[in-house]
Amino acid sequence: MSFELEGKLIAKFDTVQVSDSFQKREFVLETEENNGGNIYTQNIKFQLIQKGCGEIDSSNVGDVVKVHFNLQGRKWEKDGKTSYFNSLNAWRIEKLESIPQSGQSAEPTVEDTQDALPF
C-alpha cells in the first residue's frame, strides 16, 4: 500500500547498518490535525532502507516535506509468543518549504523586494 503525508521534519538520524546486507535510516515527521477547533499533534517515525537511506540528505530539520511511503506489517514469534509490527517505509521525500539557513531571514529584505519590482 502506498500513502503520502505532509509535515515538518523534526528529527533525522544516522544510517544504521543492521546486518551485512541491510541498512536503515529513521526520521520523524510532525503533523497537525484540526478536529473541531482542537489541534492534535502527531510525531510519526518513518524509515528509509537500503539505497534509499540518502533520500533525506537534502532535507533539514524544520523543513516541511511530503513523504511517500508504504505501510508494511509482519508477524514475529518467539518463545511461543506472537507479536505484530508495522513499518512506515519511505521511498520518496519532497521538500515543500525550507527553513532559512543561518544568517538568513525568513522575511524578504528590501533588496529582495526591489529586485522583484517591474520598475
Side-chain angles (χ1 to χ4, degrees):
M1 286 183 243
S2 183
F3 299 93
E4 57 186 50
L5 184 66
E6 292 180 15
K8 182 170 65 171
L9 181 63
I10 62 168
K12 67 179 186 177
F13 304 100
D14 293 333
T15 300
V16 175
Q17 192 72 39
V18 178
S19 70
D20 289 342
S21 61
F22 183 75
Q23 63 180 357
K24 70 177 183 176
R25 185 172 187 186
E26 296 177 327
F27 64 96
V28 180
L29 207 64
E30 180 181 83
T31 65
E32 290 184 348
E33 180 181 345
N34 186 337
N35 188 353
N38 296 316
I39 303 293
Y40 297 97
T41 302
Q42 300 292 323
N43 296 312
I44 313 294
K45 183 172 71 170
F46 293 89
Q47 69 179 14
L48 296 156
I49 59 172
Q50 303 300 77
K51 293 179 183 176
C53 290
E55 187 71 25
I56 194 80
D57 287 343
S58 64
S59 298
N60 298 307
V61 170
D63 289 349
V64 176
V65 297
K66 180 189 287 187
V67 177
H68 299 264
F69 65 98
N70 295 330
L71 173 62
Q72 297 178 328
R74 63 190 175 285
K75 179 179 177 178
W76 185 66
E77 295 180 18
K78 184 175 181 180
D79 301 329
K81 294 182 183 178
T82 303
S83 297
Y84 296 90
F85 296 93
N86 297 319
S87 297
L88 303 178
N89 291 329
W91 49 272
R92 187 168 93 201
I93 300 168
E94 298 175 53
K95 192 183 307 187
L96 302 178
E97 295 177 27
S98 295
I99 60 168
Q101 298 299 316
S102 60
Q104 295 180 345
S105 170
E107 297 296 320
T109 65
V110 172
E111 292 81 17
D112 292 337
T113 55
Q114 285 177 341
D115 289 342
L117 295 176
F119 47 89

